[in-house]
Amino acid sequence: MQTLDYIIIALKVIVSLSILNVWLIQPKKNTKWRGGDATTIIEEFNCYGLSKTICYIIGFLKVSLAILLLVSIKFEELTIVSSLGLATLLLGSILMHLKIKDPLFKSFPAFLFVVMNLIIAYFSY
């Protein structure tokens, strides 16, 4: 394995565990990154004008794609769909922050993870 391969694996782990942390461990925790004045992930989606059902659908997709991204460390053919899928959903997160006129810093984690996913996809293609 080359150095780049290890970097891609590290990025996959960082992105996946971060997404899983947000959706499975801290969905009810207040953070400075939450949209609007929300203190939970459900409240955040409400600030965006999105329903609880949409929150659950997005959560399911993000968790599933994060797990696939981890699995792609062993099964590389899953890399493109999982990294680009996450990048797309995270781009949606950025757009939602912009929609409600959040300060730009609240979009930073999503932006960072979009970039990381695009790097993963680019160097895995």
Side-chain angles (χ1 to χ4, degrees):
M1 283 180 102
Q2 297 179 343
T3 303
L4 182 59
D5 297 321
Y6 290 109
I7 292 170
I8 296 302
I9 289 170
L11 290 176
K12 287 179 179 184
V13 169
I14 291 166
V15 169
S16 297
L17 293 182
S18 296
I19 298 293
L20 293 172
N21 177 53
V22 167
W23 284 91
L24 299 178
I25 297 172
Q26 297 189 30
K28 295 180 181 178
K29 183 178 179 191
N30 187 15
T31 73
K32 66 180 179 178
W33 312 110
R34 295 241 182 258
D37 59 355
T39 59
T40 69
I41 209 154
I42 301 266
E43 289 177 10
E44 184 174 11
F45 272 70
N46 190 39
C47 289
Y48 300 144
L50 301 172
S51 70
K52 187 186 264 190
T53 302
I54 295 297
C55 179
Y56 290 140
I57 291 169
I58 296 298
F60 173 79
L61 290 171
K62 283 188 176 181
V63 167
S64 298
L65 290 169
I67 291 169
L68 281 179
L69 191 61
L70 277 177
V71 172
S72 77
I73 293 169
K74 175 71 174 164
F75 302 100
E76 292 183 18
E77 60 273 13
L78 298 173
T79 300
I80 297 300
V81 75
S82 58
S83 62
L84 292 181
L86 280 171
T88 302
L89 291 172
L90 290 160
L91 183 59
S93 299
I94 295 168
L95 294 174
M96 289 295 108
H97 282 291
L98 294 174
K99 173 187 173 186
I100 65 168
K101 298 178 177 32
D102 269 339
L104 284 179
F105 81 88
K106 289 192 175 196
S107 299
F108 179 74
F111 174 77
L112 179 63
F113 291 132
V114 167
V115 170
M116 292 168 110
N117 275 296
L118 292 176
I119 290 168
I120 291 166
Y122 179 80
F123 286 107
S124 299
Y125 184 67

